[in-house]
Amino acid sequence: MNEAENIRNTGNRLFKEGKYELAKAKYEKVLREFNHVNPQDDEEGKFFADTRNLLHLNVAACHLKLGECRKSIETCNKVLEANPAHVKGLYRRGMAYMAAGDFEEARADFKMMMKVDTSTESDATAALQKLKQKEQDVEKKARKQFKGLFDKKPGEIAEAKADVDGDLITSEIQKDDEVHGDSDGTNSEDSHEAPPEAQRTGWFSLFWPSGRRLFESLGINRCTIL
């Protein structure tokens, strides 16, 4: 345990220096050594378990600093599966969820912190404020992207699909380009040119009604656009 503590302290120093990969390697080395540790009594077992949990959370912190949000969440789960009320585990996983864009999951973890330990209320409240700001930033960015769509000509909509929802627009365009079946079940390969009025508003049909909820959330309706 003394040797493990020395290695952990080295990892902490490397982390503070911004050497996250090296720090993570140190923490993981201690965790591997812990596989060969057999506590002799309950007191030693508790100390061992607490130290192992801290090491897992340190690894999770390294993953988060390296932009590996999912790995950070998975590592936190190793602690929370054994102890769902582990406050530091909830905080660390909440931060990872927030970085990954899983805002509801992050909010649940921060609220659980306060429920489990009222002394963490200030930290949890600060985290919730940061989460709220993050959500607002994402919403503003989305509004800006959608607004830009309506400033484009119909022919430019397909080029902008990647900025909004590539899968949604691509699927709609593919449906529009597909060979349509006749009433008798056969396929007609003849191309039909849409009338001028359909050409003028046809680009909007790519989004409505499949994208209706997105536009309604922005206060935009079909009548407003057309």
Side-chain angles (χ1 to χ4, degrees), residues 137-147 164 218:
D137 292 343
V138 171
E139 183 179 355
K140 288 179 181 178
K141 184 177 181 181
R143 287 177 179 273
K144 184 177 180 181
Q145 288 176 327
F146 278 108
K147 182 179 179 181
V164 185
L218 299 175

Side-chain angles (χ1 to χ4, degrees), residues 29-224:
K29 179 180 180 180
V30 179
L31 285 169
R32 287 193 298 269
E33 293 295 331
F34 273 20
N35 292 330
H36 308 290
V37 174
N38 296 307
Q40 300 302 307
D41 53 44
D42 292 342
E43 183 178 356
E44 191 175 272
K46 184 178 184 306
F47 179 76
F48 168 75
D50 290 343
T51 304
R52 183 172 56 185
N53 285 339
L54 289 177
L55 286 166
H56 278 309
L57 295 179
N58 287 351
V59 171
C62 291
H63 281 308
L64 189 56
K65 287 292 187 179
L66 293 168
E68 300 167 344
C69 302
R70 295 302 169 188
K71 290 183 178 181
S72 182
I73 293 168
E74 292 171 3
T75 306
C76 290
N77 287 340
K78 294 178 181 179
V79 175
L80 293 167
E81 286 171 1
N83 182 8
H86 197 287
V87 173
K88 290 185 179 180
L90 289 168
Y91 179 80
R92 188 62 47 78
R93 188 175 69 176
M95 297 301 289
Y97 273 136
M98 181 166 59
D102 299 332
F103 300 139
E104 290 303 320
E105 290 82 352
R107 183 175 292 105
D109 278 348
F110 295 144
K111 288 184 176 181
M112 180 61 70
M113 280 177 61
M114 293 187 285
K115 184 177 180 180
V116 170
D117 186 353
T118 56
S119 68
T120 65
E121 184 174 352
S122 60
D123 291 334
T125 301
L128 286 169
Q129 287 294 330
K130 185 175 182 180
L131 175 63
K132 183 178 180 180
Q133 183 61 50
K134 181 83 170 179
E135 288 178 303
Q136 291 175 345
D137 292 343
V138 171
E139 183 179 355
K140 288 179 181 178
K141 184 177 181 181
R143 287 177 179 273
K144 184 177 180 181
Q145 288 176 327
F146 278 108
K147 182 179 179 181
L149 279 177
F150 300 111
D151 295 332
K152 296 180 181 295
K153 297 178 182 179
E156 296 174 331
I157 295 299
E159 297 177 2
K161 62 181 178 297
D163 294 332
V164 185
D165 189 339
D167 293 338
L168 171 64
I169 302 176
T170 300
S171 64
E172 293 295 334
I173 291 176
Q174 288 174 343
K175 288 180 182 178
D176 192 58
D177 290 341
E178 285 176 353
V179 177
H180 297 282
D182 294 335
S183 58
D184 61 356
T186 59
N187 289 329
S188 172
E189 297 182 359
D190 296 334
S191 61
H192 302 281
E193 183 176 354
E197 179 64 18
Q199 289 179 350
R200 184 174 67 83
T201 62
W203 66 271
F204 190 83
S205 65
L206 297 178
F207 301 92
W208 203 281
S210 58
R212 182 174 182 176
R213 287 183 299 173
L214 295 175
F215 290 109
E216 288 179 342
S217 69
L218 299 175
I220 299 171
N221 57 54
R222 183 182 178 90
C223 295
T224 301

Side-chain angles (χ1 to χ4, degrees), residues 4-15:
E5 184 66 16
N6 290 333
I7 298 175
R8 188 172 73 89
N9 288 335
T10 301
N12 291 344
R13 177 178 56 79
L14 291 169
F15 185 90

